[in-house]
Amino acid sequence: MSDPIFVIGDIHGQIDQLEQALDYIAQDDCAGAPVVFVGDYIDRGPDSRGVIQKLMNGQAAGQDWTCLLGNHDDYLRCFLGPNPDLPKDGSLTRWFLPQVGGFETLDSYGASASSDDSNLHLLEKARAAIPQEHVDWVTALPRLYETEAYIFAHAGIRPGVALSDQDPEDLIWIRGDFLNDTRDHGKLVIHGHTAIEMPEHRGNRVNVDGGAGFGRPLYPVLLLGHEAFMLGPFGRTRLDPIPQALPGVELT
């Protein structure tokens, strides 16, 4: 059996849920094992800034935490990079669509913004409010993490494609072609991105996005070999593999 690893799914600015998830881990018998965060630290929730700072502080303090890039985190990277990705037609970037949550992220940094602002005005506000160290941290996040037993990626992988040949965009965006594929990927794939009611084991993959971005609890998952356990107020709950079926997909 491989060494234990904890996984935390999409957080989406829910700092209180993150604190609770870390508390569940601290109470588990395997406390002290590495923790992998699968991305989407920002947007929708009330404190994206606090979530990023919490993760940065933990890594700086020597916590064995691996943080992956999510598609929402990539919005920040693209918007605040050296060449901002701004629509040529003058429309707001996708990051600021109501269902995505970019305005909530700016709010958490103290930047008052609205859909009445132009992209350039939003860019000025974001650059003034978001610390460069946060931008640098997000920019440096890896998209893929592999251990002896597991493959971690925010959205999943392109089935049948070697990890070295994966499209970086697939790793943070893929859905149907990965979610509906029942083949053995060689290792158990651990992912988030597609919000469901709670973490679940699908045999060849484990989805840890229980929908914190939509107000649901953030339950961490403990990986022990091919087994997975959801952690909550009553300890561990084994996630029995369930047959593949089309998941209920929410826009993320």
Side-chain angles (χ1 to χ4, degrees), residues 70-88:
N71 62 301
H72 281 260
D73 315 311
D74 200 44
Y75 286 132
L76 186 153
R77 181 192 68 83
C78 291
F79 192 67
L80 289 173
N83 298 300
D85 184 14
L86 305 181
K88 292 183 173 59

Side-chain angles (χ1 to χ4, degrees), residues 135-148:
V135 178
D136 293 342
W137 183 81
V138 169
T139 300
L141 293 175
R143 299 183 185 223
L144 188 69
Y145 178 61
E146 183 183 14
T147 69
E148 183 178 348

Side-chain angles (χ1 to χ4, degrees), residues 32-167:
V35 182
V36 178
F37 300 82
V38 300
D40 276 8
Y41 312 114
I42 66 171
D43 297 345
R44 299 195 178 123
D47 197 0
S48 294
R49 177 177 188 153
V51 169
I52 288 181
Q53 193 64 56
K54 177 76 176 181
L55 298 176
M56 291 176 62
N57 290 347
Q59 289 183 326
Q63 296 281 2
D64 192 354
W65 290 356
T66 297
C67 299
L68 300 180
L69 182 76
N71 62 301
H72 281 260
D73 315 311
D74 200 44
Y75 286 132
L76 186 153
R77 181 192 68 83
C78 291
F79 192 67
L80 289 173
N83 298 300
D85 184 14
L86 305 181
K88 292 183 173 59
D89 63 3
S91 61
L92 290 180
T93 69
R94 181 175 170 79
W95 191 25
F96 297 110
L97 293 177
Q99 67 268 35
V100 175
F103 286 121
E104 286 88 341
T105 294
L106 290 190
D107 285 346
S108 76
Y109 283 95
S112 178
S114 74
S115 57
D116 293 330
D117 291 310
S118 67
N119 280 312
L120 290 178
H121 199 188
L122 289 170
L123 182 58
E124 291 173 358
K125 290 181 176 181
R127 284 177 171 168
I130 300 178
Q132 187 60 44
E133 63 178 0
H134 283 207
V135 178
D136 293 342
W137 183 81
V138 169
T139 300
L141 293 175
R143 299 183 185 223
L144 188 69
Y145 178 61
E146 183 183 14
T147 69
E148 183 178 348
Y150 312 111
I151 297 167
F152 299 86
H154 174 66
I157 62 173
R158 176 70 59 181
V161 176
L163 292 187
S164 58
D165 295 329
Q166 290 284 324
D167 183 336

Side-chain angles (χ1 to χ4, degrees), residues 141-210:
L141 293 175
R143 299 183 185 223
L144 188 69
Y145 178 61
E146 183 183 14
T147 69
E148 183 178 348
Y150 312 111
I151 297 167
F152 299 86
H154 174 66
I157 62 173
R158 176 70 59 181
V161 176
L163 292 187
S164 58
D165 295 329
Q166 290 284 324
D167 183 336
E169 291 297 286
D170 279 340
L171 298 175
I172 63 173
W173 281 107
I174 197 169
R175 277 213 173 94
D177 288 349
F178 166 66
L179 298 175
N180 302 328
D181 196 294
T182 61
R183 80 186 80 176
D184 185 344
H185 301 300
K187 297 180 180 181
L188 191 61
V189 180
I190 317 300
H191 69 96
H193 184 56
T194 298
I196 50 181
E197 291 299 316
M198 60 182 62
E200 64 180 25
H201 195 321
R202 285 285 180 170
N204 61 350
R205 61 180 179 84
V206 176
N207 185 352
V208 296
D209 182 4

